[in-house]
Amino acid sequence: VTRISSLGLLLHTRARPPPDCRCDMIFLLGYLLLSVLGFQPALAKVCNDYTRHGLDNNWYTRDGEKLPIMVLMPMNESALMSSISQGIEPAVQLAIQHIRESRQYSFSLITKIYDTECDNAKGLRAFFDAICYGPKHLMIFGGVCPSVTSIIAESLEGWNLVQLSFAATTPVLADRKKYPNFFRTVPSDNAVNPAVVKFLNYYNWSRVGTLTQDVQRFSEVRNDLTNELEKADIQIADTESFSNDPCVNVKKLKDNDVRIIIGQFDENLASKVFCCAYNLNMYGSKYQWIIPGWYQGNWWEQANSTNCTTKKLLTAMEGYISVDFEPLSAKQIKGISGRTPQEYEREYNREREQKGVEASKFHGFAYDGIWVIAKTLTRVMELLRHKDRHDMYHNFTVDDREVGKMVLDVMNETNFFGVTGQVMFRNGERMGTIKFTQFQEGQEVKVGEYNAIADVLDLINNTIRFQGVEPPKDRTFVRLQRRQINVPLYSILSTITILGMLMAGTFLFFNIKNRNHRLIKMSSPYMNNLIILGGLLSYASIFLFGLDGSFVSDKEFETLCTVRTWILIVGYTTAFGAMFAKTWRVHAIFKNVKMKKKIIKDQKLFIIVGGMLLIDLCILICWQIVDPLKRTVEEYSLEADPQGRDIAIRPFLEHCENTHMTIWLGIVYAYKGLLMLFGCFLAWETRNVSIPALNDSKYIGMSVYNVGIMCIIGAAVSFLTRDQPNVQFCIVALVIIFCSTITLCLVFVPKFVTMRTNPDAATQNRRLKFTQNQKKEDSKTSTSVTSVNQANTSRLDGLQSDNHRLRMRITELDKELEEVTMQLQDTPEKTPYIKQNHYQDVNNILSIRNFTDGKDGEKSLKNHLEQKPQAQWGSMDPSRISRGQLEDINSPEHIQRRLSLQLPILHHAYLPSIGGVDASCSSPTSSPPSSPHHRHMPPSYRVMVSGL
């Protein structure tokens, strides 16, 4: 590096190289490398020694001195950003003129413009020529192109020079370790980030996303913005960067629900971004775009390279906020030049128009920059003169290093009001004013500004116009909405439930009132009460199933989960357990093969129902202790607000669940299923017992069938509609109402109708066909009961006189029978035949006694007396009776015929088992005590009556 620099220096000291020679570049390159490596560049002094335009060290002692200022900027029209420089020159000349006219400065500034052409090599060549062949410059003014400016600014410390830029906004130059001698009057691109954060806080936006073009300039701004957002505790929901096609990244922002989007891209890609936003519907009242504000006017027309029309772009762009530095202050305050910003702008426009150049947005910063240099040099001269006066040896000298350090210190103390606002530096960065503009109906309107010095955001009243009635939300605000039971639906079903409970109450009143009536008494009124109680409990569970978190608290809801489950299970078991217990008693009595007396009272049925309930309680208690039901919340996907508000609805539904819900439900369903199967079995076995007052098997079968089908359908549909509480509640309630109502109606309506229309229908004489299939090893005999005659006690009052007359007649016949028997005992050879006839007449008499409650009985009795007069008891000749005839009398056919006459007393044998009259009574009605003759009935008949 030293050899290269020395070679360049040697070539420069001998003769100036021609313009196309590369010796200058070699020399400057070697110098820059030395500066980077930390060597102090002594070559600058050598270079200036060979110039005839040098400035002595006593320049600060003389008034009216012309102080040269190096101006670096692209002036060639073909160079990039040359339009900025052309509009800057009138502002610089105007500032020098105003300084001179103010007569407050004892020197005049001389600016020498060096054309960098926005090219690194040409910029370095221009800088080197200014150092070696120009005057001894005290400061450098300019630097437009970021790349050229950064290269030169990095070497300023070695030259003891301070550079002040008016247009270099790249954030790279903010690094004070790398560019300690660099200042700028224009805010950097990073200066907008605190303003953006302030703007976000103003509207309480705490969640944003960034979309950045993959270029160093924008990446630096994004990195700084990320730091600022983290300091302000603002969440960055998504960070996207793109090179050419931004649509994929814009789609990701939408997928991540980013509503406030901060963009960093140039105008060429901005059209693509907004075209994608239009296609993805990411505009309007729900979205807010924040983009740079330094785009050229009507950029969407000049830079539109998309397939979207201008109208579509304008639709997507409507309402975006652009952020940029304020080129001129809007305050009507006279600044350091004695002019307001508006007065300066008018003078600048006159100068610019005279020279025929376009305005530059940086002209105000260039104007204030010249005033910064003037004030800095004035302050440095004052300091040097002060030191010179107080030097006791009067040989004060100053070198370039001291001057450069003094300039650097004074620059940091700059503070005055210029045409761009308050001018001051913080670590070399301009603390300027940032403006906010909004795109409204095809044009940008200023809506506010941010003062970086005071850290204050000032928004102009009623200028910001959002697409909605309020500012967009920074996210999709999710409002939890409970899926609850519709109140009208709950009211309707509750009304139906109340009607069902009133019906059950009516049945209960009817059952209690008529509990002593034979029809009700034979159907076990206490079991009927349990059936009604079970129905009422089932009805009551409907009210609990319709209550959710909108009516009760979370803790109370968990309690409801347990209570309603217990009530429904206990109600089911109580109702159907009582029905099945009744059927079991009928089955136990009529399926008794041994024909022995079997008494089953209600207490035993209560024990059976209690056992079923005990099993339920064991299951429920274990369920509650081991794995209790708890309130769980199931959330569903987001839904749009039906009222069109900028919120999303997340429905949630409350459930009663536990860890092993399937296992516990399986246990309950299995137990209840077995109970129903047992009920079906009993109903089938007793289907031929056709005494309506005793047998409910047909109705129980119908109830089990309907309840089973409805429960299966209801459980399946309820599971499939668990996310629709209204449908689920409606189905569950209707299933419970239907099952309870149909069960109660099938049990009680026939009894109610019979009691109202035909009270004797249930107990009238009817043929009872009873078939018993013996086991295969038995004789497989069958007994058919053909004539079961029972009397209805409801007509006792009207038939009391007839009954008493007939009983007296029977007593007389008993006496005659006893006399005939005593006479026959004196003739032994006639005893077998007469004894058989005696037994047959007794059977006839017993049969007649069962007919004594009606007219048919009386007629039967008369017919019997007419056909069998008393003379016939002893008129038979015993010699005419053969042995074969005696055997025919005891044949099975004769026995079965006799049983057909004895079975009418079946009813009296059954009544003791259900709490009725005693089987020893010979009549359903209360009669006087029987005669002694009556009590001496043969034992065989008493056994048979008791068994039946």
Side-chain angles (χ1 to χ4, degrees):
V1 171
T2 306
R3 290 179 181 178
I4 294 174
S5 301
S6 301
L7 177 59
L9 176 61
L10 178 62
L11 293 174
H12 276 279
T13 54
R14 291 185 177 179
R16 181 167 182 172
D20 58 347
C21 183
R22 302 178 181 270
C23 298
D24 292 344
M25 296 304 298
I26 295 174
F27 170 76
L28 188 57
L29 177 60
Y31 167 74
L32 291 176
L33 291 174
L34 285 173
S35 300
V36 172
L37 294 175
F39 296 99
Q40 294 299 328
L43 300 177
K45 182 178 179 181
V46 176
C47 182
N48 282 321
D49 287 343
Y50 288 90
T51 62
R52 296 178 179 223
H53 306 285
L55 187 67
D56 58 37
N57 289 334
N58 295 326
W59 56 272
Y60 59 89
T61 59
R62 298 185 295 272
D63 293 334
E65 188 73 19
K66 295 181 179 180
L67 303 181
I69 303 296
M70 183 193 304
V71 180
L72 297 175
M73 55 185 179
M75 298 300 295
N76 194 333
E77 294 182 359
S78 62
L80 184 65
M81 303 178 72
S82 60
S83 58
I84 296 177
S85 302
Q86 293 174 4
I88 291 297
E89 187 176 1
V92 173
Q93 298 301 326
L94 194 60
I96 294 174
Q97 178 184 342
H98 291 168
I99 291 173
R100 186 169 56 251
E101 292 175 356
S102 66
R103 299 182 183 276
Q104 296 179 2
Y105 301 92
S106 59
F107 56 86
S108 61
L109 296 178
I110 304 298
T111 58
K112 176 63 176 177
I113 299 177
Y114 296 91
D115 187 7
T116 61
E117 301 184 30
C118 262
D119 182 85
N120 293 344
K122 295 179 180 179
L124 289 176
R125 174 63 179 270
F127 175 68
F128 178 75
D129 289 343
I131 292 293
C132 291
Y133 305 114
K136 187 176 181 180
H137 302 93
L138 296 177
M139 292 185 66
I140 300 176
F141 183 66
V144 177
C145 304
S147 59
V148 177
T149 305
S150 60
I151 292 175
I152 296 175
E154 191 173 1
S155 63
L156 292 177
E157 187 177 10
W159 297 98
N160 299 316
L161 291 174
V162 176
Q163 181 180 2
L164 179 63
S165 175
F166 55 84
T169 61
T170 174
V172 177
L173 297 171
D175 187 357
R176 300 309 293 173
K177 294 181 179 179
K178 194 173 183 180
Y179 311 102
N181 287 28
F182 179 81
F183 290 80
R184 49 187 165 190
T185 57
V186 61
S188 70
D189 293 336
N190 287 344
V192 302
N193 291 334
V196 170
V197 172
K198 201 74 173 180
F199 186 79
L200 296 175
N201 289 330
Y202 183 84
Y203 287 105
N204 296 321
W205 291 332
S206 59
R207 185 176 183 271
V208 300
T210 60
L211 182 64
T212 309
Q213 183 180 350
D214 197 6
V215 178
Q216 183 181 5
R217 175 186 179 185
F218 299 117
S219 299
E220 291 288 341
V221 177
R222 180 196 60 194
N223 296 337
D224 183 75
L225 176 63
T226 301
N227 296 331
E228 294 291 339
L229 293 174
E230 290 177 354
K231 292 178 182 178
D233 197 21
I234 296 177
Q235 178 188 0
I236 302 177
D238 191 13
T239 300
E240 297 293 333
S241 60
F242 64 95
S243 298
N244 187 25
D245 185 10
C247 291
V248 176
N249 306 94
V250 174
K251 179 65 167 55
K252 290 181 180 180
L253 291 174
K254 182 177 182 179
D255 294 340
N256 290 326
D257 191 34
V258 177
R259 312 289 288 279
I260 310 300
I261 305 169
I262 303 175
Q264 293 291 339
F265 36 77
D266 57 31
E267 59 263 34
N268 294 323
L269 291 177
S271 59
K272 294 184 179 180
V273 170
F274 282 105
C275 182
C276 298
Y278 179 84
N279 294 329
L280 294 172
N281 199 28
M282 293 181 63
Y283 62 91
S285 60
K286 295 183 179 180
Y287 293 91
Q288 182 60 61
W289 288 84
I290 302 176
I291 63 174
W294 42 262
Y295 297 164
Q296 299 295 325
N298 297 331
W299 57 267
W300 56 89
E301 296 179 354
Q302 302 173 7
N304 187 6
S305 60
T306 65
N307 55 1
C308 293
T309 62
T310 303
K311 183 178 180 181
K312 293 181 179 180
L313 287 180
L314 292 176
T315 302
M317 291 162 50
E318 185 67 24
Y320 75 70
I321 300 293
S322 60
V323 187
D324 195 14
F325 53 81
E326 184 73 84
L328 287 177
S329 176
K331 297 181 180 179
Q332 300 288 337
I333 299 176
K334 290 184 177 181
I336 190 172
S337 64
R339 295 168 179 80
T340 63
Q342 293 73 23
E343 292 173 349
Y344 155 74
E345 187 176 17
R346 288 193 293 268
E347 292 186 32
Y348 168 75
N349 288 331
R350 284 198 302 267
E351 292 291 331
R352 178 182 59 81
E353 291 173 358
Q354 289 177 3
K355 295 183 178 181
V357 296
E358 295 292 333
S360 173
K361 64 180 296 185
F362 299 99
H363 67 87
F365 299 103
Y367 180 84
D368 284 343
I370 297 298
W371 280 95
V372 170
I373 293 174
K375 286 186 65 66
T376 300
L377 294 178
T378 301
R379 179 59 179 166
V380 171
M381 291 176 67
E382 291 176 357
L383 293 176
L384 291 175
R385 289 177 181 179
H386 179 74
K387 290 184 178 181
D388 189 16
R389 287 195 301 268
H390 291 80
D391 183 22
M392 59 184 302
Y393 299 106
H394 300 285
N395 58 353
F396 175 76
T397 58
V398 62
D399 57 9
D400 295 341
R401 185 187 300 274
E402 291 185 65
V403 173
K405 188 176 183 306
M406 295 178 68
V407 171
L408 188 63
D409 294 339
V410 172
M411 287 283 289
N412 285 320
E413 298 175 357
T414 302
N415 189 359
F416 64 88
F417 187 82
V419 296
T420 58
Q422 197 71 25
V423 180
M424 65 178 299
F425 303 100
R426 182 177 299 168
N427 295 326
E429 294 294 309
R430 168 70 185 276
M431 304 300 294
T433 303
I434 307 300
K435 70 172 181 177
F436 291 86
T437 58
Q438 187 180 35
F439 189 78
Q440 300 176 2
E441 298 179 357
Q443 60 182 359
E444 292 190 348
V445 179
K446 182 179 179 180
V447 295
E449 62 181 25
Y450 169 76
N451 189 338
I453 299 175
D455 191 24
V456 175
L457 176 64
D458 184 17
L459 296 179
I460 303 174
N461 294 332
N462 301 323
T463 54
I464 295 183
R465 296 188 305 184
F466 295 104
Q467 302 299 301
V469 295
E470 58 182 358
K473 307 297 182 181
D474 61 355
R475 70 198 71 191
T476 299
F477 280 93
V478 178
R479 177 172 297 177
L480 294 177
Q481 186 177 77
R482 178 183 288 105
R483 287 186 176 178
Q484 59 188 18
I485 307 298
N486 195 352
V487 176
L489 176 63
Y490 182 76
S491 302
I492 293 173
L493 293 176
S494 297
T495 303
I496 298 175
T497 303
I498 292 174
L499 294 177
M501 298 181 74
L502 292 177
M503 181 194 69
T506 303
F507 290 151
L508 180 63
F509 174 77
F510 168 78
N511 190 71
I512 295 175
K513 180 181 179 182
N514 300 282
R515 64 184 180 276
N516 293 322
H517 192 281
R518 176 175 295 273
L519 175 65
I520 304 301
K521 194 169 187 178
M522 291 175 66
S523 65
S524 301
Y526 295 110
M527 292 294 103
N528 294 341
N529 291 340
L530 286 182
I531 295 174
I532 296 173
L533 177 60
L536 289 174
L537 290 176
S538 300
Y539 281 128
S541 65
I542 297 177
F543 299 106
L544 302 181
F545 276 104
L547 297 178
D548 51 24
S550 60
F551 297 98
V552 296
S553 63
D554 296 345
K555 186 176 181 179
E556 292 172 346
F557 183 81
E558 288 191 357
T559 304
L560 283 178
C561 292
T562 303
V563 172
R564 69 189 187 186
T565 304
W566 282 54
I567 289 179
L568 183 59
I569 292 177
V570 171
Y572 176 90
T573 303
T574 303
F576 282 89
M579 291 177 60
F580 299 155
K582 288 176 54 180
T583 310
W584 172 81
R585 180 165 62 183
V586 175
H587 176 270
I589 292 174
F590 284 90
K591 293 295 181 179
N592 184 17
V593 178
K594 296 181 180 181
M595 301 297 291
K596 292 183 178 180
K597 182 177 181 180
K598 193 174 185 68
I599 300 176
I600 302 177
K601 296 187 177 181
D602 289 346
Q603 289 79 0
K604 191 171 184 178
L605 302 185
F606 279 116
I607 294 175
I608 295 175
V609 177
M612 296 179 183
L613 291 176
L614 183 62
I615 296 175
D616 277 336
L617 291 178
C618 292
I619 295 175
L620 292 173
I621 292 174
C622 293
W623 189 351
Q624 183 66 24
I625 295 175
V626 177
D627 193 11
L629 289 172
K630 295 182 180 180
R631 173 183 177 269
T632 60
V633 177
E634 181 181 3
E635 295 185 352
Y636 299 91
S637 58
L638 295 176
E639 299 176 358
D641 181 52
Q643 300 179 2
R645 296 172 296 180
D646 188 17
I647 59 175
I649 304 299
R650 184 179 294 279
F652 73 94
L653 188 59
E654 297 168 310
H655 297 289
C656 294
E657 294 179 349
N658 52 12
T659 306
H660 305 288
M661 190 71 176
T662 305
I663 297 177
W664 294 108
L665 289 179
I667 295 173
V668 174
Y669 289 158
Y671 171 56
K672 301 302 177 185
L674 291 176
L675 186 62
M676 293 186 68
L677 290 176
F678 178 68
C680 292
F681 169 76
L682 293 178
W684 175 261
E685 287 292 308
T686 59
R687 66 189 184 279
N688 292 325
V689 180
S690 57
I691 302 177
L694 303 177
N695 186 27
D696 292 331
S697 62
K698 180 174 67 175
Y699 303 127
I700 291 175
M702 295 173 62
S703 298
V704 171
Y705 174 79
N706 289 283
V707 171
I709 296 298
M710 292 300 298
C711 288
I712 293 174
I713 296 176
V717 177
S718 176
F719 177 78
L720 295 176
T721 59
R722 68 191 306 270
D723 58 339
Q724 303 177 27
N726 287 316
V727 178
Q728 186 184 43
F729 172 68
C730 183
I731 292 174
V732 171
L734 290 178
V735 167
I736 295 176
I737 292 173
F738 178 82
C739 294
S740 301
T741 304
I742 199 68
T743 300
L744 293 176
C745 289
L746 288 175
V747 172
F748 292 99
V749 170
K751 296 178 176 58
F752 185 81
V753 173
T754 303
M755 288 288 295
R756 293 295 181 185
T757 58
N758 189 8
D760 297 333
T763 55
Q764 285 179 351
N765 299 339
R766 57 178 64 197
R767 187 179 300 272
L768 177 64
K769 296 181 179 180
F770 185 79
T771 305
Q772 172 66 44
N773 295 324
Q774 300 284 347
K775 296 182 180 179
K776 292 183 178 180
E777 62 270 13
D778 295 339
S779 62
K780 298 183 180 180
T781 61
S782 61
T783 305
S784 62
V785 181
T786 58
S787 301
V788 179
N789 299 320
Q790 298 180 351
N792 193 332
T793 59
S794 63
R795 303 180 60 187
L796 287 178
D797 295 338
L799 300 176
Q800 285 292 340
S801 58
D802 294 338
N803 289 338
H804 181 69
R805 180 173 55 84
L806 293 174
R807 283 195 297 272
M808 296 298 296
R809 180 60 180 166
I810 292 173
T811 303
E812 294 175 359
L813 292 175
D814 289 340
K815 292 181 180 180
E816 293 178 359
L817 178 62
E818 185 177 0
E819 292 177 359
V820 171
T821 303
M822 293 177 63
Q823 293 176 3
L824 292 175
Q825 289 177 354
D826 297 336
T827 310
E829 63 277 9
K830 297 181 178 179
T831 300
Y833 173 79
I834 296 175
K835 189 174 183 179
Q836 294 296 330
N837 284 275
H838 170 68
Y839 290 161
Q840 184 175 359
D841 289 339
V842 170
N843 292 338
N844 293 336
I845 293 171
L846 290 174
S847 300
I848 292 171
R849 293 185 61 132
N850 288 278
F851 289 87
T852 57
D853 289 337
K855 295 180 179 181
D856 294 336
E858 184 178 358
K859 292 180 180 180
S860 299
L861 179 61
K862 290 179 180 181
N863 294 332
H864 177 75
L865 293 177
E866 292 175 357
Q867 294 175 3
K868 290 189 173 229
Q870 291 183 359
Q872 293 179 356
W873 290 98
S875 61
M876 289 291 179
D877 187 359
S879 62
R880 299 174 57 182
I881 305 300
S882 63
R883 184 174 182 88
Q885 289 176 333
L886 292 176
E887 293 177 354
D888 293 337
I889 293 174
N890 295 323
S891 64
E893 290 79 5
H894 285 76
I895 294 174
Q896 184 174 0
R897 188 178 300 114
R898 287 196 300 271
L899 286 175
S900 66
L901 297 176
Q902 296 164 355
L903 284 179
I905 60 174
L906 169 66
H907 174 62
H908 308 298
Y910 172 72
L911 283 179
S913 63
I914 60 173
V917 299
D918 194 89
S920 61
C921 297
S922 61
S923 173
T925 61
S926 59
S927 61
S930 301
S931 64
H933 309 286
H934 231 121
R935 289 193 295 268
H936 290 288
M937 183 182 294
S940 61
Y941 289 122
R942 288 201 303 268
V943 171
M944 184 170 294
V945 169
S946 178
L948 290 176

